Amino acid sequence: MLELCLHTKLLAPVNCPIADFLMKAPEPPPALIVRNAVQMLKTIDAMDTWEDLTELGYHLAYLPVEPHLGKMVLCAVVLKCLDPILTIACSLAYRDPFVLPTQASQKRVALLCRKHFSAGTYSDHMALLRAFQAWQKARSEGWEREFCEKNFLSQATMEVIVGMKTQLLGQLRASGFVRARGGGDLQDVNTNSENWAVVKAALVAGMYPNLIPPANCQAAAVQALPTDWLIYDEMTRNHRIANIRCCSVVTPVTAAIFSGPARLPSNAMEEPSISSAVDGVSSDSEEDEKSTATVATLKLDEWLHFKLEYVDAGLLFELRQKWHSLFLRRMRSPFKPWSQVDEATLRAVIAVITTEEQSAGLQQPSGIGQRPRPVPHEELPFASSWRTNSRKISPKTEFSEDLLTMNSLVLNSPSPAIHQQTKYKEMGILHPKLPGDQTDQSSRISGKSVYPSPSERPSPPASAKSSKSSSLRPNLSVRYFIMKNNNLRNLEISQQKGIWSTTPSNERKLNRAFFESSAVYLVFSVQGSGHFQGFARMSSEIGREKSQEWGSTSLGGVFKVEWIRKDNLSFQHAHHLLNPWNNHKKVQISRDGQELEPQIGEQLLLLWDRIPLGDKSITLLQ
């Protein structure tokens, strides 16, 4: 529902409330669910008070994960701890890779395996990360299936997570958060990946408001925790008993900095009051007078309050404001280089939260930022698009006595994520079946993009014929071009007959791209329409023969095209895609024959899948 509300805001008329717009649907969702989803989007700063998308909201609308996890990933980019968060976010987006055995004798062993991966950090998220890293190492050595059986892990789930990470990283590249080289490249955005305190800060920012102080629980396991705050992924309630799944302990300072809205009201910090260290009871003794101190209350929202000494509260409040200002600047201008002030702010935040972790006695594990060798592309899962379920979870709860067992609060697997598979057999770019894989290609689910980038394309099966018009040529790049046209009738003819002609100035580069590339995709747009009208694949070279059917005599020779999508896509859905090969202008601001940077071209084509069917109008012939 959160994703639906985000996309609805992109399409609804100006000043039209989301609930009113959705109520016009043939089968509208319940109004209460819509209102709760909108309120949650406001809580996480994806929308402002007037239901307008913020800079963060625009980015979240185009990330293929639910908004909470998307915010977690974007915070990880700014905190420069991306890779561990990508692994954790994709694990949470799909399903728990740990398998709970049916035999009672095996359940204890499975719990011990999970505890082993948590590495004494009081964190289920660490268990997810360590398990994935260990699986990748086993995979590089060729014994991943035995590893999964030994540690009660799902091999299929691990495969999907790999594909999810690839697709999510591709979107971050397209949005400018991750660059190919220099500042903002993969090495730069993983500078702090070894610091577990920083990784948990990104977790807190994404999990909010799923944050609780387990003060009311008397269980021994809870009382033994080193801090008073927990973040969690999901809560289930049974009358007055609540269980939370996938938890991590965090320090109060981390919660105070990274939780709550980015912009706090003017009364967020209350005036200091005199409080006593002896339960607030006044005393005339000199010793008790020394124990009194000025205490301020920092209110992040209606339920999340922190009490601390006034001087400390002021410093913490200022540091929090600087962090959120930095985060909002990065959301507003992801392509802009970091300033010295930005770097100094990040260093100060990291120093504070790291010191707090050490003071709480929490361990700093090693190797959490390790990035194993890339998985061979022929081993990656098949192509599809993927989305996750949205959940609204209240942070207020009561606890059962057996809430914490070992290091996992609840081990039940979450509901499977919702997957929307895309079938593009006519494009010839679906992966071949893996050896030993019993799953049919048309039903395989993963997170890999359907449009491979130059370094990600699989080789076709050995039996495939090498034909320019019927199959892709292996081991070459994929090219993308914008085709501008003044005549809608020409597009109708093209879709009817599978042909196209362009200006003589474009013929040479298109022919060269056709012979030197594995595929050439043409994205069509009629001047002044405000839309892209679909895209096609170039399936022959440009000849000398001209067509008499075009409305212009200035067009060159005819060539064959295979139309893949024929429905309109509004420019507003592509506003975030900037073409580095055209001075970082928006992709819609292109001349006829403008080539797109491959990753931007890939992301543009993917938009036809990501925008719900009802949000696109089919105006040309089918």
Side-chain angles (χ1 to χ4, degrees):
M1 181 55 68
L2 296 182
E3 293 97 328
L4 175 61
C5 290
L6 281 177
H7 290 134
T8 298
K9 192 59 189 178
L10 291 174
L11 300 169
V14 179
N15 298 327
C16 177
I18 293 175
D20 293 350
F21 186 82
L22 290 177
M23 288 305 106
K24 299 176 183 178
E27 296 183 5
L32 178 60
I33 294 180
V34 174
R35 288 196 297 269
N36 288 340
V38 171
Q39 183 56 47
M40 181 60 70
L41 290 172
K42 293 179 179 179
T43 300
I44 66 174
D45 290 323
M47 287 183 179
D48 60 20
T49 307
W50 301 274
E51 289 190 15
D52 292 327
L53 290 180
T54 62
E55 291 90 352
L56 173 61
Y58 276 109
H59 291 301
L60 295 180
Y62 292 99
L63 287 179
V65 290
E66 66 105 359
H68 283 290
L69 299 179
K71 183 177 180 180
M72 181 192 302
V73 170
L74 293 177
C75 283
V77 172
V78 182
L79 287 169
K80 301 187 177 182
C81 58
L82 179 59
D83 194 71
I85 289 296
L86 278 182
T87 298
I88 295 171
C90 291
S91 299
L92 297 176
Y94 183 53
R95 64 176 58 167
D96 193 334
F98 287 94
V99 178
L100 191 63
T102 57
Q103 298 180 0
S105 60
Q106 294 288 319
K107 290 183 178 180
R108 177 71 178 177
V109 180
L111 290 174
L112 289 174
C113 287
R114 186 159 187 156
K115 182 178 181 180
H116 169 74
F117 284 120
S118 66
T121 57
Y122 301 93
S123 173
D124 290 322
H125 300 97
M126 172 61 80
L128 296 175
L129 177 61
R130 288 291 202 198
F132 182 81
Q133 291 176 334
W135 173 80
Q136 277 201 315
K137 185 176 185 299
R139 192 181 197 195
S140 66
E141 298 169 356
W143 65 289
E144 68 273 17
R145 293 190 181 275
E146 294 84 352
F147 174 84
C148 288
E149 293 176 0
K150 177 182 177 181
N151 293 282
F152 301 92
L153 293 165
S154 168
Q155 169 73 12
T157 299
M158 291 298 193
E159 295 276 1
V160 171
I161 292 173
V162 172
M164 285 175 143
K165 289 184 65 176
T166 301
Q167 185 178 352
L168 191 50
L169 181 59
Q171 179 60 43
L172 292 174
R173 290 181 184 276
S175 301
F177 288 104
V178 179
R179 303 182 185 180
R181 61 184 65 87
D185 63 3
L186 275 178
Q187 182 177 358
D188 183 48
V189 296
N190 282 292
T191 303
N192 303 312
S193 290
E194 280 292 338
N195 192 325
W196 182 235
V198 179
V199 175
K200 285 202 295 184
L203 289 174
V204 171
M207 291 294 182
Y208 175 82
N210 295 356
L211 176 74
I212 51 173
N216 297 331
C217 182
Q218 302 301 319
V222 176
Q223 295 297 317
L225 292 177
T227 71
D228 295 331
W229 292 90
L230 285 169
I231 54 171
Y232 63 92
D233 178 49
E234 187 175 23
M235 177 185 291
T236 57
R237 186 187 295 273
N238 182 13
H239 300 292
R240 292 180 59 83
I241 305 300
N243 291 314
I244 54 177
R245 189 191 70 84
C246 201
C247 314
S248 292
V249 298
V250 296
T251 63
V253 169
T254 303
I257 294 176
F258 294 92
S259 297
R263 297 177 175 88
L264 296 178
S266 57
N267 61 347
M269 195 168 73
E270 286 187 349
E271 292 294 327
S273 60
I274 302 298
S275 74
S276 174
V278 189
D279 297 330
V281 179
S282 61
S283 173
D284 295 332
S285 67
E286 181 179 352
E287 183 177 349
D288 285 343
E289 288 179 359
K290 293 180 180 179
S291 67
T292 61
T294 56
V295 175
T297 301
L298 181 59
K299 296 182 178 180
L300 302 186
D301 57 22
E302 294 81 2
W303 64 274
L304 188 57
H305 300 169
F306 294 89
K307 290 187 176 181
L308 61 167
E309 291 189 13
Y310 180 67
V311 175
D312 295 336
L315 294 175
L316 184 63
F317 181 79
E318 183 178 357
L319 184 61
R320 172 192 162 83
Q321 296 297 88
K322 287 184 177 297
W323 154 252
H324 285 282
S325 296
L326 168 61
F327 181 71
L328 293 177
R329 284 197 301 273
R330 300 312 304 169
M331 295 301 101
R332 192 175 300 113
S333 305
F335 286 98
K336 188 176 181 180
W338 283 60
S339 67
Q340 292 183 355
V341 174
D342 293 341
E343 296 284 0
T345 298
L346 182 59
R347 287 195 300 269
V349 170
I350 292 175
V352 170
I353 61 178
T354 302
T355 302
E356 283 297 305
E357 287 272 313
Q358 296 171 351
S359 299
L362 292 169
Q363 296 183 18
Q364 168 55 49
S366 60
I368 63 172
Q370 64 183 1
R371 306 182 68 243
R373 69 171 182 82
V375 178
H377 300 297
E378 63 272 12
E379 299 177 9
L380 289 176
F382 296 133
S384 74
S385 59
W386 49 282
R387 284 281 175 184
T388 59
N389 287 323
S390 300
R391 298 185 295 269
K392 183 179 188 301
I393 304 172
S394 171
K396 301 178 181 179
T397 183
E398 297 180 22
F399 296 84
S400 63
E401 290 296 320
D402 58 348
L403 182 64
L404 281 171
T405 56
M406 306 180 69
N407 219 25
S408 299
L409 303 193
V410 178
L411 288 178
N412 294 329
S413 298
S415 302
I418 297 175
H419 288 256
Q420 301 171 340
Q421 185 169 12
T422 306
K423 300 178 182 178
Y424 280 129
K425 293 183 179 179
E426 68 271 24
M427 296 177 66
I429 57 178
L430 284 179
H431 291 209
K433 184 175 289 188
L434 296 177
D437 185 7
Q438 303 301 318
T439 306
D440 184 75
Q441 276 191 4
S442 63
S443 62
R444 178 80 174 226
I445 295 176
S446 78
K448 186 85 168 64
S449 166
V450 298
Y451 307 101
S453 61
S455 61
E456 295 175 343
R457 272 183 301 17
S459 300
S463 60
K465 296 180 180 180
S466 58
S467 170
K468 288 185 295 183
S469 61
S470 61
S471 65
L472 298 183
R473 296 171 292 283
N475 302 323
L476 298 174
S477 62
V478 179
R479 307 279 289 274
Y480 306 85
F481 293 88
I482 298 292
M483 293 285 104
K484 293 282 188 176
N485 187 51
N486 294 320
N487 193 330
L488 184 61
R489 175 60 182 165
N490 286 353
L491 291 187
E492 296 175 349
I493 295 172
S494 175
Q495 293 190 6
Q496 287 177 335
K497 300 189 175 183
I499 59 174
W500 187 248
S501 295
T502 186
T503 59
S505 60
N506 290 333
E507 287 185 339
R508 182 176 180 181
K509 63 180 176 182
L510 286 181
N511 262 344
R512 183 172 181 177
F514 178 76
F515 285 112
E516 295 180 353
S517 308
S518 63
V520 177
Y521 293 107
L522 308 178
V523 183
F524 293 86
S525 176
V526 175
Q527 294 280 7
S529 66
H531 292 79
F532 295 108
Q533 277 73 36
F535 64 91
R537 181 162 65 94
M538 190 176 175
S539 57
S540 77
E541 63 179 302
I542 303 175
R544 295 184 178 181
E545 180 182 356
K546 295 187 177 182
S547 173
Q548 302 300 320
E549 300 187 66
W550 307 128
S552 173
T553 58
S554 62
L555 298 178
V558 174
F559 60 96
K560 295 181 180 180
V561 294
E562 296 175 6
W563 276 87
I564 298 167
R565 297 302 293 263
K566 304 175 183 179
D567 39 340
N568 281 1
L569 179 74
S570 175
F571 285 165
Q572 66 176 336
H573 296 306
H575 73 94
H576 65 295
L577 296 180
L578 309 179
N579 185 12
W581 293 358
N582 190 25
N583 297 322
H584 290 286
K585 295 180 180 179
K586 296 180 180 180
V587 292
Q588 59 264 34
I589 306 177
S590 300
R591 61 186 181 277
D592 182 40
Q594 172 66 54
E595 183 169 7
L596 302 177
E597 192 273 334
Q599 291 177 349
I600 298 298
E602 176 183 354
Q603 294 302 318
L604 177 59
L605 268 58
L606 280 171
L607 290 180
W608 266 271
D609 289 326
R610 292 179 179 168
I611 305 304
L613 183 60
D615 298 344
K616 294 175 287 196
S617 58
I618 300 178
T619 58
L620 301 181
L621 298 178
Q622 300 301 308

